[in-house]
Amino acid sequence: MPAFAGGGAAEPPLADSYHALLRSCGGDDDGARAAVAAAPPVAECELPMIDVGCLTGGGGAGSEAERAACAAAIARAAEEWGFFQVRNHGVAPELLDAMRREQARLFRLPFEAKASAGLLGGSYRWGTPTATSPRQLSWSEAFHVPLAAVSGDACDFGGLTTLRDVTREVAGAMSKLAGTLARVLDEALRPGGAAGEQRFPEGCDETTCFLRLNRYPPCPVSADGAAFGLVPHTDSDFLTVLCQDHVGGLQLMKGAAGWVAVKPIPGALIVNVGDLFQAWSNNRYKSVEHKVMTNATTERYSVAFFLCPSHDSPIGACAEPSPYRTFTFGEYRRKVQEDVKRTGKKIGLPNFLV
């Protein structure tokens, strides 16, 4: 039995936060829903699907020509979409199924235990503490765990022994995949580079990256889109690897087409470019704004791996001149937090233009 089994409601007080924000800005539910109702309908899309088995060993070693074609497809998707899907990625489907089951057990623990018992390194978060209006509130809860904590013996998994083992295995498999994809994308930026030369990712390892376990509870105000599961944003990392369940809700900004919904594909993982890779690539790769929409009746689970460097790692560029000045990851994170607190939204890379 989990150490906190029984007693206490599991759901975070998201509805209380939503209505408090609604009152504080003098609004009402009808007004919030009317604003969203005016938005155009969102079409569903299928992201580029890339078989990366020749890189991961999931489809055999692959010939040099196959690896080159795969690398070209990855780079093209990062340029044109900023998002793509991968199969034969080396993360076993049975492992991902186990992760989904263990997440459900974790999030069913009482809210007070999740919020104050120091689980998973005290990494629990819910809603949006800096929100000043309902449209800035993320209707979700998550454990945003440093990989160093996941792998450490001192990390408290609330008595969920299987969760500990599965989380560590998922983190290791996603870390390996993210590193492989990052090196492929880096090499595509330097086609004339020395064979075998590795410049990226420097400083990205199990001590610097993060694993985020997400749950999006059913949202009673979501029938007409009056609340976000996760507010529109870009990722402040190099690469994100995401496993989403069958429920869907992820949307991304696709140029003139506007918001498009990402169709869930069983067994596939989603990969997206983060701000740091856009800066490193001199804007060749795109860190694309995305969001999660809530569901009125069905909860949604996902797990995301964030490929991040150490806080003091300088973020330069693959070639000069660069449109951005050199900055550290820690400096970038601090500026994002300051902007969100001051304005309610992230500004990101424009702060670091030369």
Side-chain angles (χ1 to χ4, degrees):
M1 291 289 287
F4 302 100
E11 295 291 356
L14 290 162
D16 293 343
S17 291
Y18 176 85
H19 291 293
L21 289 168
L22 208 57
R23 291 191 298 271
S24 69
C25 60
D28 55 43
D29 283 318
D30 290 341
R33 293 171 180 174
V36 178
V42 174
E44 189 174 61
C45 74
E46 287 194 23
L47 297 175
M49 177 68 79
I50 304 172
D51 186 334
V52 295
C54 61
L55 305 176
T56 64
S63 67
E64 184 175 344
E66 288 173 331
R67 292 193 297 272
C70 180
I74 291 170
R76 185 166 56 251
E79 292 177 30
E80 297 176 0
W81 283 82
F83 272 76
F84 55 95
Q85 299 176 101
V86 293
R87 58 188 178 92
N88 286 326
H89 41 66
V91 188
E94 297 83 6
L95 178 60
L96 295 174
D97 289 343
M99 185 77 259
R100 166 67 175 79
R101 292 192 299 271
E102 293 304 317
Q103 278 182 265
R105 293 177 66 203
L106 173 66
F107 283 110
R108 280 198 294 266
L109 294 176
F111 170 69
E112 289 301 325
K114 292 181 288 188
S116 60
L119 298 176
L120 277 67
S123 61
Y124 180 71
R125 55 186 66 182
W126 63 277
T128 310
T130 57
T132 58
S133 74
R135 298 296 288 165
Q136 294 175 357
L137 176 68
S138 290
W139 197 283
S140 57
E141 57 178 337
F143 287 87
H144 190 78
V145 198
L147 254 62
V150 170
S151 58
D153 292 335
C155 188
D156 183 359
F157 285 85
L160 303 175
T161 305
T162 309
L163 171 67
R164 179 194 61 205
D165 297 339
V166 169
T167 301
R168 289 176 178 175
E169 193 171 349
V170 168
M174 285 190 168
S175 177
K176 184 177 180 180
L177 173 63
T180 297
L181 297 175
R183 287 188 289 274
V184 166
L185 286 167
D186 175 53
E187 290 168 3
L189 297 171
R190 301 176 292 104
E197 177 189 7
Q198 180 178 336
R199 292 182 55 198
F200 182 89
E202 296 178 357
C204 295
D205 58 32
E206 66 275 3
T207 68
T208 63
C209 300
F210 291 82
L211 192 72
R212 183 180 174 106
L213 310 179
N214 299 302
R215 176 179 176 263
Y216 301 90
C219 177
V221 296
S222 70
D224 39 22
F228 293 117
L230 199 59
V231 298
H233 66 288
T234 58
D235 288 349
S236 299
D237 62 351
F238 277 110
L239 280 181
T240 303
V241 177
L242 174 74
C243 175
Q244 64 168 345
D245 65 14
H246 66 284
V247 176
L250 176 64
Q251 298 183 7
L252 61 91
M253 181 62 70
K254 180 55 176 152
W259 290 106
V260 294
V262 177
K263 180 181 180 180
I265 303 294
L269 296 179
I270 294 171
V271 181
N272 67 276
V273 173
D275 298 342
L276 302 188
F277 225 144
Q278 177 168 325
W280 173 263
S281 70
N282 286 344
N283 291 339
R284 178 171 163 183
Y285 302 145
K286 301 299 187 293
S287 180
V288 175
E289 190 175 32
H290 52 286
K291 61 185 178 181
V292 175
M293 301 307 297
T294 53
N295 189 292
T297 59
T298 307
E299 64 182 355
R300 175 183 186 265
Y301 289 91
S302 69
V303 56
F305 174 87
F306 298 94
L307 184 67
C308 301
S310 63
H311 274 223
D312 58 358
S313 294
I315 310 302
C318 62
E320 298 295 343
S322 170
Y324 305 102
R325 67 173 177 84
T326 298
F327 54 90
T328 66
F329 181 47
E331 182 183 2
Y332 192 78
R333 288 278 301 270
R334 287 192 297 274
K335 186 59 179 171
V336 167
Q337 291 164 1
E338 290 170 5
D339 288 339
V340 169
K341 186 175 181 180
R342 179 174 53 87
T343 69
K345 62 181 180 180
K346 172 183 173 179
I347 296 174
L349 285 176
N351 279 321
F352 297 90
L353 291 168
V354 173

